[in-house]
Amino acid sequence: MVIELKVRPIFIIGYERSGTTLLMAMLGCHPRISVPEVGWLFPRIYPWRYTYGDLSINSNFRTMAAEMLFGLNQPLWGMTLNPATAVDEIISMAPERSFAGIYTAMHLRYAREFGNKPGWGQKTPNNLFFIPQILENFPKAQFIFITRDGRDASATSINSAFGAGNIYGAAHTWNFANTFIKPFRKKYDSSTWFDVRYEELVREPEEILKKICDFVDEKYYPQMLEFHRTPIGIHRGKQRDHAPLGHPVSDRYVGIYKHLLSIRDQQIYAAIAGETHKEAGYELDVNPIEISEEEKTLLQEWDGRIRAARLDGHGGHIIFESYRDWLVEQRIIRKQKGIWSDRNVTNEFPAGHPDEEYIVGFRAPRRWREHFSIKRQYDKY
């Protein structure tokens, strides 16, 4: 299905901990562009849309709408929707009975409530893995890809409550993300693709934001630098992992790897992501260390173990993880009900990919969650 919108939708993408949330907050301050909180809808729902069955059947379409709407990390994106009638309202706004129809309705509803803005954007880092799929549904979509020094991004990831368990895991995912988008950067023209460097954004925010506004064909407004005064900035700024959103933009977080990563960590990073790092325009302080396959296997195991053990700790993402497990189970239940069968399976990316769990947003591999008997939790703490 193809959705034609009057204003081109904007997708902010990039490796997590690279400044996507900062850019989301800044762009959301534009008087004509609304950008809700992270959605994770393309990674979690889109590749498995066949499991909802025929969407011309009301019950199937409602199920998809409900799982998309109530599965948001921020409940209902803060919209003043009555939970009892929210699905009906979103369905009534959908331009067509499809995933893209619901996706559009959710963003239009948010835009209407928060400033009645004509345009909307979406910040989900891992949408970077679904660029062709997004364009299939929204042919006029625009992408802003933000790159950050992988050492800083890795250090931030390791020290967050939901990121990598060690430097190997962080370097691997940073390298994978930045390698994955290379063909798209070459494929799409300057009206569809725009690259932003985190370091330039925080050091020359007004200049970079003006360029971004030119890209999306909008006027620059100084209020875009007041993101830290908005509800999203205030809320996020209180969180340990998003403290930079609570104050004006600055370059205080550039080069933090020098204090947070050991020399050996930097050498491991150079071994895993060094070539991509240099291609992105960054230099290395150390030479890569030689890592045997046996050592890589061990580092990967430790990464998974730490991710799992951290899930139900302070600030961990156990609630979001629990919901993602629930989503997978609902697919199985629908199959048992006969809504879909094996002949409907599309095996779309990322199904079967070695990094499938991370691509769709799981914070730890199921293997290690089950090993540590991590119990699900659905109540807010």
Side-chain angles (χ1 to χ4, degrees):
M1 299 293 185
V2 173
I3 300 290
E4 296 287 349
L5 299 168
K6 294 180 180 179
V7 181
R8 300 180 71 174
I10 304 163
F11 290 83
I12 300 169
I13 55 178
Y15 174 73
E16 285 189 292
R17 319 310 291 159
S18 292
T20 56
T21 305
L22 173 63
L23 196 50
M24 170 194 80
M26 288 175 160
L27 205 58
C29 285
H30 195 284
R32 289 177 46 84
I33 305 171
S34 71
V35 188
E37 276 281 5
V38 63
W40 286 96
L41 299 174
F42 266 96
R44 292 184 201 160
I45 304 291
Y46 191 76
W48 292 276
R49 60 195 181 285
Y50 65 87
T51 69
Y52 294 92
D54 183 354
L55 296 182
S56 67
I57 299 175
N58 288 336
S59 58
N60 293 345
F61 191 52
R62 286 184 62 84
T63 296
M64 176 182 277
E67 291 189 0
M68 290 174 67
L69 185 61
F70 289 107
L72 299 169
N73 286 18
Q74 181 193 29
L76 301 176
W77 279 338
M79 294 184 286
T80 55
L81 288 168
N82 182 339
T85 59
V87 173
D88 291 319
E89 184 171 345
I90 293 300
I91 286 177
S92 70
M93 294 180 65
E96 63 181 33
R97 299 177 74 88
S98 67
F99 168 90
I102 299 169
Y103 197 92
T104 300
M106 290 171 62
H107 286 82
L108 290 178
R109 177 61 176 79
Y110 181 90
R112 186 178 72 187
E113 177 162 343
F114 296 97
N116 197 26
K117 301 179 181 182
W120 57 264
Q122 168 56 214
K123 189 282 291 195
T124 295
N126 281 18
N127 275 348
L128 71 90
F129 295 110
F130 298 90
I131 294 166
Q133 295 90 328
I134 291 172
L135 285 168
E136 286 176 6
N137 290 272
F138 303 101
K140 295 182 179 180
Q142 294 181 289
F143 299 92
I144 302 174
F145 184 87
I146 185 166
T147 304
R148 184 184 185 186
D149 185 319
R151 296 165 299 184
D152 282 343
S154 293
T156 307
S157 178
I158 295 168
N159 282 276
S160 72
F162 59 86
N166 59 23
I167 188 60
Y168 176 87
H172 169 77
T173 50
W174 184 90
N175 185 65
F176 178 42
N178 284 276
T179 300
F180 191 89
I181 59 92
K182 288 180 184 179
F184 306 122
R185 178 180 282 125
K186 297 177 181 178
K187 180 177 181 179
Y188 302 118
D189 61 29
S190 59
S191 69
T192 300
W193 188 277
F194 187 83
D195 277 299
V196 174
R197 191 181 290 263
Y198 171 83
E199 293 79 11
E200 294 177 352
L201 176 63
V202 298
R203 286 172 172 156
E204 303 173 339
E206 186 170 345
E207 178 182 343
I208 300 303
L209 286 175
K210 285 181 178 178
K211 291 181 179 180
I212 291 174
C213 287
D214 286 342
F215 169 67
V216 299
D217 198 24
E218 293 287 354
K219 176 183 175 182
Y220 167 74
Y221 288 85
Q223 67 198 60
M224 297 175 72
L225 293 174
E226 298 297 312
F227 61 88
H228 55 289
R229 303 183 189 279
T230 66
I232 287 180
I234 294 172
H235 172 70
R236 288 270 197 163
K238 293 178 180 178
Q239 301 172 7
R240 175 180 177 274
D241 293 330
H242 296 285
L245 271 293
H247 55 72
V249 64
S250 76
D251 65 356
R252 72 177 73 177
Y253 301 101
V254 174
I256 58 173
Y257 76 90
K258 297 175 182 178
H259 307 288
L260 296 176
L261 298 182
S262 68
I263 296 299
R264 184 172 184 275
D265 280 345
Q266 294 179 49
Q267 291 173 325
I268 292 174
Y269 170 86
I272 303 301
E275 291 306 311
T276 304
H277 177 91
K278 289 185 286 188
E279 287 178 14
Y282 298 96
E283 296 181 354
L284 291 171
D285 300 337
V286 300
N287 292 320
I289 192 174
E290 186 174 337
I291 308 175
S292 67
E293 290 303 315
E294 181 180 5
E295 181 73 4
K296 285 183 180 179
T297 299
L298 181 61
L299 289 170
Q300 184 178 35
E301 176 181 324
W302 287 352
D303 174 50
R305 284 175 175 270
I306 294 170
R307 287 176 186 259
R310 195 166 52 193
L311 269 175
D312 55 357
H314 180 72
H317 277 212
I318 186 61
I319 293 176
F320 305 137
E321 198 83 347
S322 300
Y323 177 74
R324 287 160 190 151
D325 277 328
W326 181 85
L327 271 182
V328 174
E329 289 181 352
Q330 294 310 299
R331 297 173 198 158
I332 298 172
I333 291 173
R334 289 194 293 274
K335 183 179 183 181
Q336 293 170 342
K337 291 181 178 180
I339 293 175
W340 66 279
S341 66
D342 289 338
R343 67 175 180 273
N344 303 121
V345 176
T346 59
N347 286 321
E348 291 182 43
F349 176 86
H353 190 280
D355 286 333
E356 175 186 336
E357 290 178 293
Y358 295 145
I359 292 170
V360 303
F362 279 105
R363 296 303 176 182
R366 178 183 291 273
R367 171 192 177 188
W368 296 115
R369 286 182 280 140
E370 292 179 347
H371 176 81
F372 289 114
S373 300
I374 303 297
K375 295 181 175 59
R376 295 185 189 177
Q377 181 179 335
Y378 293 101
D379 295 328
K380 298 294 181 183
Y381 46 79

